[in-house]
């Protein structure tokens, strides 16, 4: 069955430290991959997406993600975290044959001063 | 270009009541999808509407129903509300048949439904 896994429920990092949020998916074909951020009480904001081509994708707010086909992963990274990055992050996967998107359960990021 | 809008922003209902949530799709989009996001969880796909017909459905009971209008706006109706229906309901619009390899979805801000 198609699924998206975000192994880390909650991550705490210090401001200025680097960040990596993990995402794995299960599906036979290459999916379309997304990372969204959600602040409390807000909707989803798209950080970046991967459809094809270069497997290292740059997004907004200094985020990047790398698609690794061999590991079925699409991990999100940021070299230096800011306090304003504290939020919930969702990895999502879409498939051309389907009409829906599948979301991971999310990773809550806390940033320590 | 107008983004996806949803109304109302917040809604409080009691168990057993019925509710209607509304979504206006982004200009030029012809497809609307609805998602339910319970507290502490990722969004779950409810259903999608294309050309006023349901075009895919997730694992939700029939008391969740929808409509799409000729102007591509959409409604989500939930009958016989249960406490577990309390969630953020997200609407997303996309353009099907536009020639792209994937119909990327653009999300609205959501409607927060509380069932007491």
């Amino acid at each position: 069955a198609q699924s998206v896994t975000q192994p880390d429920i909650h991550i705490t990092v210090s401001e200025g430290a680097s960040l990596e949020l993990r995402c794995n998916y299960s599906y036979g074909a290459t999916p379309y991959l997304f990372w969204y951020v959600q602040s409390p009480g807000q909707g989803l904001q798209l950080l970046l997406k991967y459809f094809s081509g270069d497997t290292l994708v740059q997004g907004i707010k200094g985020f990047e993600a790398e698609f690794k086909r061999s590991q079925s992963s699409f991990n999100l990274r940021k070299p230096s975290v800011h306090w304003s990055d504290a939020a919930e992050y969702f990895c999502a996967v879409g498939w051309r044959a389907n009409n829906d998107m599948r979301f991971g359960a999310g990773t809550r990021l806390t940033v320590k001063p | 270009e107008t983004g996806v809008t949803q109304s109302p922003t917040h809604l409080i209902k009691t168990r057993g009541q019925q509710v209607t949530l509304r979504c206006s799709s982004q200009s030029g989009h012809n497809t609307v999808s609805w998602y339910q996001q319970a507290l502490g969880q990722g969004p779950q796909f409810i259903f999608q509407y294309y050309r006023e017909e349901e075009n895919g459905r997730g694992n939700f009971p029939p008391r969740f129903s929808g409509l799409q209008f000729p102007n591509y706006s959409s409604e989500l109706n939930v009958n016989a509300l249960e406490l577990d229906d309390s969630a953020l309901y997200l609407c997303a619009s996309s353009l099907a048949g536009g020639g792209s390899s994937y119909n990327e979805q653009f999300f609205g801000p959501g409607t927060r439904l509380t069932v007491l």
Side-chain angles (χ1 to χ4, degrees), chain B residues 16-115:
Chain B
Q17 285 189 311
Q18 178 266 342
V19 69
T20 297
L21 310 182
R22 295 177 175 82
C23 172
S24 291
S25 59
Q26 183 169 309
S27 177
H29 285 182
N30 56 16
T31 303
V32 173
S33 303
W34 286 92
Y35 293 81
Q36 180 196 65
Q37 185 181 16
L39 194 63
Q41 298 182 25
Q44 300 289 318
F45 175 68
I46 302 174
F47 45 54
Q48 183 183 86
Y49 276 81
Y50 171 63
R51 292 185 174 178
E52 303 177 52
E53 298 281 338
E54 189 177 288
N55 186 40
R57 188 178 184 94
N59 188 27
F60 280 81
R63 60 189 185 85
F64 285 79
S65 63
L67 285 172
Q68 187 181 33
F69 300 99
N71 66 354
Y72 305 124
S73 65
S74 176
E75 288 182 353
L76 164 65
N77 300 289
V78 187
N79 293 322
L81 283 168
E82 301 177 359
L83 297 180
D84 285 348
D85 296 333
S86 294
L88 179 69
Y89 288 85
L90 295 163
C91 164
S93 75
S94 56
L95 175 62
S100 62
S101 61
Y102 178 73
N103 304 325
E104 183 179 348
Q105 299 185 17
F106 295 81
F107 286 84
T111 293
R112 174 75 60 185
L113 172 64
T114 302
V115 182

Side-chain angles (χ1 to χ4, degrees), chain A residues 53-64:
Chain A
D54 191 348
T55 56
L56 185 62
V57 181
Q58 301 299 318
I60 63 171
K61 303 184 178 185
F63 286 93
E64 66 178 26

Side-chain angles (χ1 to χ4, degrees), chain A:
Chain A
Q2 302 152 348
S3 66
V4 183
T5 303
Q6 292 181 247
D8 305 304
I9 297 173
H10 184 205
I11 284 182
T12 299
V13 300
S14 298
E15 190 168 17
S18 63
L19 171 71
E20 182 169 23
L21 303 182
R22 297 182 290 165
C23 174
N24 294 92
Y25 66 91
S26 65
Y27 187 61
T30 299
Y32 301 92
L33 300 159
F34 305 82
W35 274 99
Y36 288 89
V37 62
Q38 186 178 42
S39 297
Q42 302 298 311
L44 298 172
Q45 181 181 22
L46 179 66
L47 286 175
L48 46 78
K49 61 188 178 187
Y50 172 78
F51 282 10
S52 64
D54 191 348
T55 56
L56 185 62
V57 181
Q58 301 299 318
I60 63 171
K61 303 184 178 185
F63 286 93
E64 66 178 26
E66 185 172 13
F67 169 55
K68 292 185 178 180
R69 185 191 307 273
S70 61
Q71 299 176 18
S72 297
S73 69
F74 188 56
N75 294 349
L76 181 71
R77 301 194 294 249
K78 187 170 185 177
S80 178
V81 170
H82 187 263
W83 64 266
S84 62
D85 293 325
E88 189 88 20
Y89 290 80
F90 293 95
C91 177
V93 180
W95 293 272
R96 186 173 185 180
N98 288 14
N99 298 315
D100 61 317
M101 292 178 69
R102 301 289 173 90
F103 285 81
T107 297
R108 183 161 61 93
L109 174 65
T110 298
V111 181
K112 295 190 300 184

